[in-house]
Amino acid sequence: MSNEPQPLSQQEQEDYALVLAAEEFEIEAFARVHKFSDSDEVIIRKLSAHGPVLLQGGRGTGKSALMRETGRRLSPAAASKNAAIAIYISLRHLPLLRAAGSEYQRLFSVWVSEEIQRRLQDSDLDFDTVQDISSLKRELANLGQATGKRIVLLFDDAAHIGRETSLETFFDIFRTLPSDSISCKAAIYPGVTEFGARFDVYNDATVLDIVKNSEQSDFEEHFAAVLSARYPRLAELAESGRPSSLSLGKVSRFLGRAVLGNHRAFIFACNALSAFSDDSIGLTALQRTLVRLAASHYWPLLEEVKPKLGKYTPAADTATEVAEEMFKFCALSESSSVIIHRAVVARYSKVFEILEYAGFIARREASRAMKSGGRGPRYDLNLCNLLECVSGSRLTRRLFGVWSGDGSAVAQIHRGGDHFSTIAVPVPEERADLHVFEMPIDSLRKSDVYPYGLTDRKIEELQKSGFATIGDVAEASDHELLSVDTVGEVFLDRIRSIVAQAVWM
Amino acid sequence: MARGGRPDPGASRERPCDIGRCHTAQSAGGVKGAHVERAVRVLLLRLEVTALASLICGSPTGTGALADTLQHLATALEDLRLRLPRPYGEQDEDADPLAIPFAARALLELSCTAMIARADPFRVLVVRMAQQQGSYDPAQRHAAAIQWQGDVLSSGKTAPLWDPTRAPSSMSRALLGDYMQETLWRPAYVRCIDAISMASPRISGERVRELLAKDERAFIPWIRGQAQAAYSEASKGIHHEFLTSSTARHYDSATLEQLVGKIITVCSVLGCVINFCEHVPFRPDEGATLAAFRRFA
């Protein structure tokens, strides 16, 4: 690990339990609570090096954390021995979502140059606000000359499923912006397949898939470090040596595997486990944690994602049907892994990408031979939705052992079988904008879908002030929101954060 | 195995973790420990070099021209390998930043030549014979020489592959070209990933995960992209294109590490897969191939 775990105060533990995304931490707190495994360090080195990189992973897999950490280590204020300066730039900027072509290039140039100015504000380096890509490139080259260092641009939230309007222009920029003194890296989600006609994903970038896999040698150690850093009480319980308690390593490995190595889901799991563990961590607490996650995290996540998918919105309902069928089938043989014939996957391609994005499945192999002939990808399943389908949802000692290892049987879904035969293939909609902008503001009420959502009172106040939809709030200026009764600076940040969760992936 | 010796696939069956444990235990013992440490490091290097040579050059036996060529290439590959920075070679991290890309590119080219020799022996044997003629002049350009563009990557369009009017002379025999993809790499890749998936003990590591994430249609496009990018990047220093003081910015330690890692990925992965092609000569058996690949997994 790169940093020794720092004990957190009780108040900090409570505060940070509510923070699920790396980009929502202040940089000092970010550095304290984030732990990076050996395999993470390899990725950070790749992000620091020259050459274009696309960092690919589902929601909560740690893309932003790795990018922010690279930006932190190579920040303009960091030691002068670094050969590069890295600048982390979130592309969560609404106008970019709807633009394409030259308008996108202009908005992108302005946004990026202003972000760079913000990062350089404590230095004596200048960076002009520019309106086009050539000027941006020139300013970056000047910055490289002035510092004698290579400039690494880390574009977070660069590409999403269902948001294709701007992607072709973005990947054109990504391909042409780099030079001997400028390196570009971008975080993208699985399922992003629209790279435009000029971008060749195999030749124009190295794609790094960052999904954590329980086969990695540092998997258990990594999640044990995260658990110890953010949940010291749970770590103490696990290390207490009580006969009824599972060890820290076993708990961390199992929970990490249960959520397919997803950091955000792991934090949810630890929150639930804290509530279910009084004086030890046993199978019952783990069982309740997994069942809680299935009901209050994974299924609501599909609901949350649905209005953000643009033309693929109908695929979210199909994803629910496919997941129900697949998890029931695998639970019969207690298989935590499944090979699905590639023709079936091709038929429901967006559906599987959505399930992967939402953390129901993680693709581990692209092509495995099947007993009945043919080949298909192998997916690991999250153990939360799997346990939900096991008889009685009971996590027995035997099941815990099987699922903790990598020796569970692999189920197979064949081409000619009955699976999914009654599930219609979703047809993409003709939709230019995201449905989420049209949703009424009361959709953001606190619920399993939006666990940190708005109270009834705040919703009423916003409605009274004329904010009818999520889009109205998302597009409102700070001044407009601050003019609402009872909305001060603190609530302004909170509402921005809630709307960001609703709008962005 | 001494530098210059022939590859010994059996040596690579030694598990690196066992050697690592011995290393740690002995190194605590002062001067004697330092000697052991050095000896173990050399042994580890030799095992890794041997493993890479055996993947790429196979187990060439006999006294024929092809075996002799591959034995020579295996030796040259080992020499180049030692010029890479640790953990792959013997150079320090802060070695001459222009020397590393040179060694890395040479290793990549040499590896590709060895695999061309196994995939398409005629191509390499004619070059060998041309070089054996009394008229061979190293100072003169030879049209028959192995070329990156043409012998490794195909030059020109090949689609549609199976056009009935296409003559064999217009079918590229490039190592990473479309025809070689269909006739050699694709079936070999399927056999290879099936063997890796069934291997016991399981083979795990970043390179294996990266490999298994590609299906047989994506394998060659991916490796071709990696090879081309690494070749171009390494060439910048060789042709010395840096006309400003940007060498240090471009060839910093993180970038060189990635460059060398990428070239090792290309060579070890292609070397592993080619041994699963039924018509390639001097193939080590499946167990020896996987044992050698395990060292780079």
Side-chain angles (χ1 to χ4, degrees), chain A residues 150-169:
Chain A
R150 183 164 47 81
I151 310 300
V152 181
L153 298 176
L154 303 155
F155 297 117
D156 200 3
D157 275 305
H160 302 268
I161 309 175
R163 299 177 180 198
E164 277 93 1
T165 312
S166 57
L167 288 190
E168 180 163 358
T169 319

Side-chain angles (χ1 to χ4, degrees), chain B residues 274-296:
Chain B
I274 202 170
N275 289 317
F276 286 87
C277 172
E278 287 175 337
H279 64 260
V280 158
F282 306 126
R283 291 190 301 148
D285 65 36
E286 183 177 309
T289 295
L290 292 182
F293 183 59
R294 198 182 285 274
R295 303 193 64 80
F296 301 96

Side-chain angles (χ1 to χ4, degrees), chain A residues 39 42 45-46 48-51 83-84 141 144-145 148-150 179-181 202-203 205-209 211 213 215-217 342 363-369 375 378 406-407, chain B residues 93 189-190 193-194 197-198 202-206 209-210 212-218 221-222 224-226 228-229 233 242 244-246 248-250 252-255 257-258 262:
Chain A
S39 48
V42 171
R45 289 285 283 176
K46 288 182 179 177
S48 309
H50 200 34
Q145 285 291 334
K149 293 174 190 287
R150 183 164 47 81
S179 68
D180 72 319
S181 60
Y202 291 120
N203 282 300
T206 298
V207 180
L208 295 179
D209 198 331
V211 173
N213 187 332
E215 290 175 15
Q216 285 169 309
S217 57
R342 61 171 48 143
R363 197 172 78 151
R364 299 303 189 205
E365 292 173 67
S367 176
R368 272 284 291 268
R375 306 184 70 84
R378 180 177 70 82
D406 295 313
Chain B
E93 266 185 20
Y189 180 73
V190 168
I193 57 174
D194 284 350
S197 296
M198 303 304 289
R202 191 185 286 267
I203 303 174
S204 60
E206 289 304 320
R209 273 188 286 283
E210 210 174 352
L212 296 181
K214 315 286 179 299
D215 68 18
E216 56 274 24
R217 294 160 297 190
W222 166 67
R224 194 160 46 203
Q226 297 287 301
Q228 179 58 36
E233 196 174 352
F242 300 125
T244 63
S245 59
S246 57
R249 280 186 298 181
H250 191 87
D252 57 80
S253 65
T255 301
E257 183 185 303
Q258 299 315 312
K262 199 180 279 183

Side-chain angles (χ1 to χ4, degrees), chain A residues 212-214 219-220 223-224 227 249-263 265-266 269-270 286 290 298 364 382-383:
Chain A
K212 285 229 170 275
N213 187 332
S214 56
F219 184 84
E220 179 178 312
F223 281 105
L227 191 147
K250 281 185 175 174
V251 170
S252 307
R253 180 176 178 77
F254 184 78
L255 274 191
R257 169 62 186 87
V259 297
L260 297 170
N262 185 296
H263 286 97
F266 186 77
C270 289
L286 285 176
L290 265 56
Y298 284 108
R364 299 303 189 205
N382 84 49
L383 303 182

